[in-house]
Amino acid sequence: MRHFFAVLVCVFLFSRVTPAAPGAVRCGKLLDVRSGQMLPDQTVVFDAAGAITSVGPSASAKLPAGATAIDLSNATCLPGLIDVHTHLTGDPTGNGYASLGISIPREAVTGAKNARLTLRAGFTTVRNVGASGYTDVAVRDGIDAGEIEGPRMRVSGPPLGITGGHCDNNLLPSEFHYKEEGVADGPWAARAKVREVVKYGADLIKICASGGVLSKGDLPGTPQYTFEEMQAIVEEAHKLGRKVAAHAHGTQSIKDAIRAGIDSVEHSSLIDDEGIALAKQHGTYLVFDIYNDDYILQEGAKAGMLPESIEKEKKIGRQQRENFRHAFQSGAKIAFGTDAGVYPHGDNAKQFAKMVEWGMKPLDAIQAATINAADLIGWPDKIGALENGHYADLIAVSGDPLSDVRVLESVKFVMKGGAVVRNDLAAK
Ligand SMILES: [Zn+2]
């Protein structure tokens, strides 16, 4: 009987999140993100489950019976974009002491709002690295159930960190006895915390290896989790089939995290040559959130960020950009992550121009947000490219993103799993 209901529920969910019928999209141009080739007049065909069944010249495309292709012949198609570092359940207005007045249920509502904005900006998948009260799990599940609009989500739940560290909350004095739910000190407590967040729905583990910018009373460059603690976390997470993302600005923490076997370094601000060499040797992805510096310096004070946070950003922002360029030119693997939530959601694509300004070609930046991000997330055969068997997650822009990457800031068409989310190109 229980099994019968499970089947019923599955059929119901399946029918809500996938398109009712197979279909096709005709693209004036299509960017093959692996080769960098811009292919003329291509048609992408997908099945009723929202998976791509063929990609090729429109002249030889076989459309499903009764289907007409959506006409994007004046536009350039790309795979849906991926941001590997978001905080959908937070907004820039919730900084410093203002953050204490925001309840966990309210954060979940904020997450639903931002999921929609992010998807409509062309980001069909995000990795959400840190949220209170498992609000990210709730948003992910609401999206998967077809109840709210949003990208595919991989979520971490509460981030793990040391007492008084970047992933704790140091705003209140001791009589409030407050600590964040992800705080765990010592290898065995940290292992137990990995088990706990996995129990409540985490797809990956987020940890704070070093201090941070937007936290009170710590320094971005100083280590927090020890090598021993990180080794325990990584061993436990990998055993349970979860990857680990480590927030690490500091030079030593970046190296300790990589040596402990983490899968991605977030921020990477003060990485040195040895850290870059270690990342290459271990195949570790580096994520540099190099757009939001401008936002923090221009808008941070108005957004309630602590004065010490603005000072920390002033010291670290430019170094992070220089180290991004150096790491990229040295051949380290880079995935596109923005820390959306520090700046307004939906502006994620503004980071592409920064990446180009600091040494990448537009194709490199696009690959960071497609094939590289898909690989880091663990779905290289499902997202990040328009290929057979991948989800029909497709966006379209006017103009050529290889000559002007800023066209990605105004995406005109978004499809997720074969379902059209927005189409500003349709004949009016
Ligand atoms: Zn973050």
Side-chain angles (χ1 to χ4, degrees):
M1 197 61 188
R2 211 151 144 209
H3 179 70
F4 172 74
F5 280 117
V7 170
L8 261 190
V9 168
C10 281
V11 169
F12 178 64
L13 295 183
F14 193 69
S15 65
R16 295 188 66 181
V17 296
T18 54
V25 178
R26 183 173 185 176
C27 303
K29 288 179 185 157
L30 183 146
L31 179 62
D32 177 340
V33 291
R34 265 184 231 285
S35 67
Q37 269 189 298
M38 191 63 87
L39 307 167
D41 200 1
Q42 300 281 301
T43 293
V44 179
V45 181
F46 51 89
D47 62 18
I52 295 172
T53 54
S54 75
V55 184
S58 296
S60 55
K62 289 195 179 62
L63 298 197
T68 43
I70 297 167
D71 181 19
L72 305 178
S73 54
N74 290 326
T76 303
C77 295
L78 302 89
L81 302 169
I82 305 163
D83 189 333
V84 303
H85 192 129
T86 66
H87 300 280
L88 292 188
T89 61
D91 271 331
T93 46
N95 281 295
Y97 281 89
S99 67
L100 297 174
I102 302 170
S103 70
I104 283 171
R106 185 70 184 86
E107 286 184 32
V109 174
T110 297
K113 174 199 63 132
N114 291 329
R116 181 173 184 272
L117 287 174
T118 303
L119 177 61
R120 296 177 75 86
F123 287 79
T124 52
T125 303
V126 301
R127 192 178 67 154
N128 206 74
V129 285
S132 304
Y134 297 93
T135 46
D136 51 355
V137 171
V139 173
R140 176 198 69 192
D141 292 351
I143 292 168
D144 288 348
E147 294 168 359
I148 55 170
E149 195 176 278
R152 302 179 196 285
M153 287 181 76
R154 301 293 264 171
V155 307
S156 71
L160 276 58
I162 65 163
T163 295
H166 177 65
C167 286
D168 197 357
N169 184 325
N170 306 331
L171 293 168
L172 294 168
S174 69
E175 62 265 36
F176 287 90
H177 305 290
Y178 183 75
K179 68 172 178 181
E180 283 292 341
E181 58 202 311
V183 170
D185 296 300
W188 275 103
R191 265 183 201 270
K193 191 60 81 172
V194 170
R195 293 170 185 171
E196 184 182 316
V197 297
V198 169
K199 172 180 174 177
Y200 294 117
D203 301 304
L204 73 140
I205 307 302
K206 163 80 182 293
I207 68 167
C208 284
S210 82
V213 171
L214 298 183
S215 41
K216 185 182 174 191
D218 66 348
L219 292 168
T222 57
Q224 293 192 348
Y225 264 138
T226 65
F227 174 70
E228 194 187 9
E229 285 168 320
M230 289 196 272
Q231 248 188 335
I233 290 167
V234 168
E235 191 182 288
E236 192 65 31
H238 286 177
K239 192 186 78 187
L240 298 175
R242 283 3 186 234
K243 294 195 180 192
V244 183
H247 159 108
H249 290 285
T251 312
Q252 187 59 44
S253 299
I254 291 168
K255 293 185 232 187
D256 287 345
I258 295 171
R259 286 195 178 104
I262 56 97
D263 301 279
S264 64
V265 177
E266 310 296 310
H267 309 296
S268 315
S269 309
L270 303 176
I271 194 167
D272 64 4
D273 282 333
E274 190 187 10
I276 292 169
L278 279 169
K280 288 175 68 178
Q281 184 190 328
H282 288 254
T284 314
Y285 274 99
L286 303 179
V287 179
F288 291 85
D289 51 329
I290 58 170
Y291 163 67
N292 68 46
D293 309 338
D294 290 355
Y295 185 85
I296 292 173
L297 296 181
Q298 283 159 27
E299 307 290 332
K302 270 182 273 171
M305 290 175 191
L306 302 170
E308 72 168 79
S309 296
I310 314 275
E311 285 309 308
K312 286 191 258 186
E313 186 61 38
K314 277 184 195 161
K315 290 202 181 86
I316 214 168
R318 189 174 173 92
Q319 277 172 293
Q320 187 195 33
R321 289 173 176 184
E322 283 167 359
N323 288 334
F324 161 78
R325 180 169 57 199
H326 185 48
F328 169 67
Q329 288 171 351
S330 306
K333 293 200 289 187
I334 289 173
F336 181 100
T338 65
D339 219 357
V342 168
Y343 68 88
H345 293 275
D347 284 353
N348 313 54
K350 288 187 177 175
Q351 185 165 290
F352 286 109
K354 280 287 156 204
M355 292 166 96
V356 170
E357 186 186 328
W358 287 87
M360 280 186 162
K361 291 204 246 335
L363 178 65
D364 304 317
I366 292 167
Q367 286 177 332
T370 53
I371 47 177
N372 290 7
D375 184 39
L376 171 57
I377 282 181
W379 283 340
D381 53 351
K382 287 288 165 207
I383 58 173
L386 296 170
E387 294 169 357
N388 287 358
H390 282 233
Y391 294 120
D393 292 355
L394 179 153
I395 64 167
V397 294
S398 299
D400 180 1
L402 294 184
S403 57
D404 178 12
V405 82
R406 281 192 182 274
V407 297
L408 294 172
E409 293 173 21
S410 42
V411 166
K412 307 288 189 207
F413 175 90
V414 179
M415 169 179 276
K416 180 187 159 201
V420 177
V421 175
R422 77 182 285 177
N423 186 359
D424 304 347
L425 297 161
K428 299 229 167 63

